[in-house]
Amino acid sequence: MWNGCLCLQCIREKEVGVVEDLGQFKRLVGEGPSCILWPLQSVTGRLSLRVQQLDVLCETKTKDNVFVQVGVAVQYRVVTESAYDAWYRLTSPTSQIQAYVFDVIRSTIPRMELDQAFESKDDIAHSVLESLQQVMKDYGYSIVNTLVTDLAPDTKVKASMNEINAARRLKEAASHQAEADKVRQVKAAEADAEARYLSGLGVARQRKAIVKGLQASVSEFSSEVEGADPKDVMDILLLSQYFDTLSTVGANSLILEHDPATVANLQQQVGVSFMAKRQDLLS
């Protein structure tokens, strides 16, 4: 005579229970209370239906012989309808996933150079995703996403890459600095040329004004003083300019040789030039 009883088993939310009858699969039970015939039947396993993540770290080398550590995050979950396969067909789903990740990474990265590997992280993750989805589907698992979370070469390689990058940036900075110096020198030369041009214009205008002033002074003096001719006026003006020049030279503590003949010669030359200019204006 057999004695048995109904036993109430509770399955948590987002889980599925595997019920066996004397070691043989009987059915799957969902979340909530379920009745089983104890001791012939029992809940031998529980599978979580939540998304889980497996972090895989794989070491391989690139096409240019640089060893790198590749970190891959695999997000997966159990398919409710295929919970039987997930429980009975795989002993360790994490080991299976890890093996396929190693296979894809070590067959993909060696075909790329280091810089290309950094640029192709999305392509690597997509290759891992496609490979795992095809394989794990038969075992009752759905691969939600795969992410390449890290791609780290050796420390010495990192330092070398940083030095190369720093040298390139220093070269660019030196080129820009040289270009800036060139522009600065060109602009300074243009400014100096413009300043000299304007200074020449100023000197020319100054001399023109002086000549006009002298002409006006000679004309007024000749018209107002009877018996005075232009030569007398020029002598007076030249003598005044001469004494002004001596005052300026004396104020700057300079010692110059003085010869009265020099003054007379200067007076003669300026007088001739002034009279010639005056005749041109009158004609």
Side-chain angles (χ1 to χ4, degrees), residues 148-165:
V148 177
T149 57
D150 191 20
L151 189 63
D154 185 75
T155 306
K156 294 182 179 179
V157 177
K158 285 184 180 180
S160 300
M161 293 174 64
N162 291 335
E163 290 178 1
I164 293 173
N165 189 27

Side-chain angles (χ1 to χ4, degrees), residues 16 82 100 131 135 151 157 168 183 194 225 227 229 234 277:
V16 61
S82 303
Y100 278 100
S131 177
V135 174
L151 189 63
V157 177
R168 182 170 62 251
V183 173
E194 184 70 17
V225 179
D229 58 5
M234 285 300 302
K277 182 67 176 179

Side-chain angles (χ1 to χ4, degrees), residues 106-121:
R106 289 174 176 169
S107 63
T108 304
I109 296 294
R111 296 198 298 266
M112 303 178 180
E113 294 185 352
L114 183 60
D115 292 340
Q116 184 182 1
F118 276 103
E119 296 172 357
S120 305
K121 292 175 64 176

